[in-house]
């Protein structure tokens, strides 16, 4: 597609009344929501228990069940995410309390996370409003203006071993224990994080009482780490791809940022189900009130959205090297590309 054709297509997309077109998909289906909760929580609990019982009896191959258990924990987080948007049920309070309960198992304080995530939705792709609820991304000029230590720190932060290894563990196990970023934003973030911390104690104590602390750690630690890494990866690839969109505050447009700054992570069907259709992220940012199980309906009814910002599983692996926003070419580039352009 030529540059002129691409610009014409983007103008057409931006001019469409997407909020009105997608309003019909916003209504949740309560029975479907309950079923989705059941088919996520029950298998997670069963897989956890099966792995623990096998390990307790000396069958170490039982740890294989921690892999699908981690997948269901990721899916539980997606359901909690939908509660934060008020989409699983029509009643706001019901969404909130179910989300808070899920937060105990995902190690994510619901009200605190919901607030930071709302900032993310309101500012995604805005260069002047970075810093809360997103992956730290510098422009080429900002990176070049850093001190030597600043460049080392940013390189370490964007290193895959840290970003998808140590980072997720720190985020879910340590950082979410206090309302970092909202320390002075009133009582609610503090209540959310501390109440979640207290809530976490009870299931942990129960599991330790049932299977012992050694078995509990042997089973829970890999589930937590795998789920945390998968969750951070999903969040990363939803906005960190070569042709994503960033712009300054004066040029930023919500609809354009949603369509072109959020990816359509086109996963194989089993992975799409396990990740709660969160890969249809451009539609989610365009209309966050649509329940996750209705997002595929939107793609079916509006085929033009299927190819927009589409990334396959294989293509996504190449996005790890993209670390800086080049304002001159309007795309993410690697450190190598930045050096070559000097």
């Amino acid at each position: 597609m030529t540059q002129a054709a691409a610009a014409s297509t983007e103008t057409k997309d931006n001019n469409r009344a997407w909020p009105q077109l997608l309003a019909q998909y916003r209504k949740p289906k309560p029975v479907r929501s309950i079923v989705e909760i059941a088919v996520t929580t029950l298998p997670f609990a069963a897989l956890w228990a099966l792995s623990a019982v096998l390990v307790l009896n000396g069958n170490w191959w039982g740890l294989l069940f921690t892999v699908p258990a981690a997948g269901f924990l990721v899916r539980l987080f997606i359901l909690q995410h939908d509660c934060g948007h008020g989409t699983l049920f029509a009643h706001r309070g019901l969404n909130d309390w179910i989300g808070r309960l899920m937060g105990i198992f995902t190690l994510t304080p619901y009200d605190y996370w919901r607030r930071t995530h709302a900032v993310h939705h309101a500012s995604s792709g805005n260069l002047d409003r970075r810093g809360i609820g997103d992956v730290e991304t510098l422009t080429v000029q900002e990176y070049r203006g850093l001190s030597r230590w600043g460049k080392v720190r940013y390189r370490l932060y964007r290193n895959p071993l840290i970003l998808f290894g140590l980072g997720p563990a720190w985020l879910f196990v340590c950082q979410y224990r206090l309302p970092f970023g909202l320390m002075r934003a009133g009582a609610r973030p503090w209540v959310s994080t501390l109440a979640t911390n207290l809530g976490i104690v009870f299931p942990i104590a129960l599991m330790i009482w049932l299977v012992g602390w050694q078995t509990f750690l042997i089973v829970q630690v890999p589930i937590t780490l795998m789920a945390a890494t998968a969750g951070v990866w999903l969040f990363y690839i939803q906005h960190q791809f070569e042709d994503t969109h960033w712009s300054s505050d004066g040029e930023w447009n919500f609809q354009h940022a949603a369509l072109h700054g959020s990816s359509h992570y086109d996963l194989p069907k089993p992975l799409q189900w396990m990740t709660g259709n969160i890969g249809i992220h451009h539609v989610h940012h365009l209309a966050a009130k649509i329940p996750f199980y209705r997002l595929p309906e939107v793609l079916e009814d509006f085929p033009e959205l299927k190819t927009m910002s589409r990334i396959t599983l294989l293509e996504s692996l190449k996005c790890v090297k993209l670390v800086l926003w080049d304002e001159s070419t309007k795309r993410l580039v690697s450190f190598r590309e930045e050096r070559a352009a000097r």
Side-chain angles (χ1 to χ4, degrees):
M1 181 181 292
T2 66
Q3 206 168 26
S8 176
T9 300
E10 288 185 5
T11 300
K12 180 181 177 182
D13 293 333
N14 291 336
N15 289 337
R16 292 196 73 174
W18 284 110
Q20 289 79 9
L21 290 171
L22 301 183
Q24 60 181 308
Y25 303 94
R26 293 175 55 170
K27 187 177 181 180
K29 301 176 181 178
V31 174
R32 175 70 182 274
S33 295
I34 292 171
V35 170
E36 294 292 350
I37 292 172
V39 299
T40 303
T41 57
L42 295 179
F44 170 70
L47 288 165
W48 199 102
L50 181 59
S51 181
V53 169
L54 288 170
V55 170
L56 191 61
N57 287 279
N59 298 304
W60 291 95
W61 57 267
L63 288 175
L64 292 174
F65 291 107
T66 63
V67 177
F72 279 101
L73 185 57
V74 170
R75 198 170 198 271
L76 187 65
F77 183 88
I78 303 303
L79 267 65
Q80 179 186 344
H81 162 270
D82 260 39
C83 287
H85 286 291
T87 60
L88 284 190
F89 300 97
H91 193 277
R92 174 85 248 185
L94 184 58
N95 282 293
D96 288 343
W97 283 107
I98 290 176
R100 289 173 185 133
L101 182 61
M102 291 177 177
I104 292 172
F105 298 94
T106 63
L107 306 181
T108 307
Y110 172 79
D111 293 285
Y112 161 66
W113 181 87
R114 184 183 66 176
R115 186 163 176 178
T116 60
H117 192 63
V119 174
H120 164 69
H121 268 263
S123 61
S124 181
N126 190 321
L127 287 171
D128 297 317
R129 297 179 63 189
R130 288 168 287 170
I132 295 182
D134 55 18
V135 175
E136 183 181 354
T137 306
L138 297 181
T139 68
V140 169
Q141 292 303 316
E142 287 170 341
Y143 175 74
R144 289 174 178 173
L146 293 176
S147 65
R148 178 175 296 181
W149 167 243
K151 290 179 180 177
V152 170
R153 189 205 66 81
Y154 186 70
R155 281 178 169 272
L156 286 173
Y157 170 77
R158 296 296 298 229
N159 185 290
L161 292 178
I162 294 178
L163 194 58
F164 306 116
L166 296 177
W170 169 261
L171 177 66
F172 284 92
V173 177
C174 301
Q175 186 172 324
Y176 278 167
R177 307 287 63 84
L178 289 172
F180 290 103
L182 296 177
M183 302 286 272
R184 299 181 180 180
R188 174 163 286 189
W190 284 94
V191 171
S192 178
T193 52
L194 297 180
T196 301
N197 294 343
L198 289 175
I200 291 170
V201 170
F202 293 102
I204 288 179
L206 177 61
M207 292 300 100
I208 290 176
W209 179 70
L210 289 172
V211 301
W213 68 268
Q214 297 98 329
T215 300
F216 170 78
L217 290 178
I218 290 170
V219 173
Q220 185 61 40
V221 168
I223 290 175
T224 298
L225 295 182
M226 286 187 288
T229 294
V232 169
W233 168 256
L234 286 171
F235 187 79
Y236 174 89
I237 203 60
Q238 287 159 5
H239 301 283
Q240 302 279 319
F241 55 101
E242 185 172 5
D243 295 320
T244 189
H245 169 79
W246 288 86
S247 60
S248 59
D249 204 19
E251 301 173 338
W252 185 84
N253 174 273
F254 172 81
Q255 184 164 296
H256 185 80
L259 287 170
H260 303 285
S262 304
S263 67
H264 172 204
Y265 195 21
D266 196 0
L267 293 168
K269 291 298 182 182
L271 288 179
Q272 182 177 322
W273 183 88
M274 189 64 80
T275 56
N277 302 319
I278 198 66
I280 310 175
H281 210 64
H282 58 329
V283 178
H284 170 64
H285 265 258
L286 195 60
K289 290 292 185 180
I290 298 176
F292 77 93
Y293 49 77
R294 303 202 65 181
L295 291 173
E297 294 179 40
V298 176
L299 292 188
E300 290 302 316
D301 293 344
F302 298 94
E304 62 268 39
L305 291 173
K306 289 184 178 181
T307 56
M308 194 177 295
S309 302
R310 180 177 177 269
I311 302 175
T312 65
L313 181 60
L314 183 60
E315 289 170 339
S316 71
L317 301 179
K318 302 174 184 177
C319 295
V320 176
K321 66 181 181 180
L322 304 175
V323 294
L324 296 166
W325 176 252
D326 189 334
E327 292 184 276
S328 62
T329 61
K330 303 297 183 184
R331 65 186 185 93
L332 284 176
V333 298
S334 65
F335 286 123
R336 179 177 295 180
E337 290 174 298
E338 182 275 327
R339 287 197 302 271
R342 290 181 187 177

